[in-house]
Amino acid sequence: NAGVTQTPKFQVLKTGQSMTLQCAQDMNHEYMSWYRQDPGMGLRLIHYSVGAGITDQGEVPNGYNVSRSTTEDFPLRLLSAAPSQTSVYFCASSWGTGGALTEAFFGQGTRLTVV
Amino acid sequence: GNSVTQMEGPVTLSEEAFLTINCTYTATGYPSLFWYVQYPGEGLQLLLKATKADDKGSNKGFEATYRKETTSFHLEKGSVQVSDSAVYFCALIETQFYFGTGTSLTVIP
């Protein structure tokens, strides 16, 4: 059972480049989310999805887009990378929606550097 | 709104010392509470959880009790090991997840 798989694990981008961080889960979870982790800031929610075709913004959505065409996949797109987006990105999934969410399962993370 | 506050780190302890990492929360309803652990270079893993007031979560010698009256969920371990060195995150779930800022623990032999 693979759980939550993120690719790539490391990426270096130049300012203004675009890229997509991939996230896939094989647990049939409805809820998926993206976080960024920065020193001293903990985990901040970027975008989340409560099911295929449904996405919503989290705490820090600017500069990022998401889509959810299938239950399994939840890619995160950076349209024009900026140095402020240098961070470690985590994808997570969970059973349930709304107030019935259970524990979150995390991917291994993507370490992104924008130069 | 919802939020989680946990004690600032970093924390450095000698092997076999007692560990407490404080966590308090603010919530509009009755959330489930969690402790996650992050080892270097890895994602977060669930350490323990509690879903209602007075529940005690425990795993690998760690434990935490859901205290509604003090809105707290402090993490404790009686005797830490070098292998416990990691970053620990307190979290709550209502309609979405809310994480604390993390506490880095280093255990020295």
Side-chain angles (χ1 to χ4, degrees), chain A residues 35, chain B residues 2-4 90-100:
Chain A
Y35 298 86
Chain B
N2 299 323
S3 66
V4 175
C90 185
L92 71 83
I93 294 179
E94 280 202 312
T95 55
Q96 53 182 258
F97 295 92
Y98 297 86
F99 289 89

Side-chain angles (χ1 to χ4, degrees), chain B residues 6-13 19 21 38 84-89 101-107:
Chain B
Q6 59 182 105
M7 66 183 284
E8 297 283 335
V11 175
T12 302
L13 295 174
L19 169 70
I21 301 178
Q38 183 182 31
D84 295 327
S85 298
V87 180
Y88 294 81
F89 290 90
T101 54
T103 301
S104 175
L105 170 67
T106 301
V107 180

Side-chain angles (χ1 to χ4, degrees), chain A residues 96-113:
Chain A
T97 58
L101 285 175
T102 61
E103 67 179 272
F105 294 80
F106 284 84
Q108 294 292 297
T110 296
R111 185 174 295 275
L112 175 67
T113 303

Side-chain angles (χ1 to χ4, degrees), chain A residues 13 15 17 24 34 48 50 56 58 65 69 78 80 89-90 94 100:
Chain A
L13 288 179
T15 298
Q17 285 185 316
W34 277 101
Y48 65 99
V50 298
D56 207 346
N65 281 352
S69 56
L78 284 71
S80 179
Y89 292 85
F90 288 100
S94 176

Side-chain angles (χ1 to χ4, degrees), chain B residues 17-93:
Chain B
F18 185 85
L19 169 70
T20 300
I21 301 178
N22 290 336
C23 171
T24 58
Y25 67 91
T26 302
T28 54
Y30 302 95
S32 295
L33 301 175
F34 300 77
W35 278 100
Y36 281 84
V37 58
Q38 183 182 31
Y39 298 103
E42 298 185 10
L44 279 70
Q45 305 171 25
L46 178 67
L47 180 60
L48 54 84
K49 66 180 180 182
T51 58
K52 61 183 188 297
D54 299 326
D55 269 2
K56 177 184 284 188
S58 61
N59 186 26
K60 300 181 181 180
F62 291 90
E63 59 182 34
T65 302
Y66 190 141
R67 302 286 189 198
K68 187 170 180 291
E69 63 277 12
T70 54
T71 62
S72 65
F73 193 55
H74 305 321
L75 182 68
E76 296 182 336
K77 187 175 186 183
S79 177
V80 294
Q81 305 300 312
V82 172
S83 57
D84 295 327
S85 298
V87 180
Y88 294 81
F89 290 90
C90 185
L92 71 83
I93 294 179

Side-chain angles (χ1 to χ4, degrees), chain A residues 7 12 17 20-21 26 31 35 38 49 51 62-63 65 86 96 107:
Chain A
T7 55
V12 179
Q17 285 185 316
T20 299
L21 280 62
D26 62 359
Y31 183 93
Y35 298 86
D38 301 293
S49 168
N62 292 342
N65 281 352
T86 294

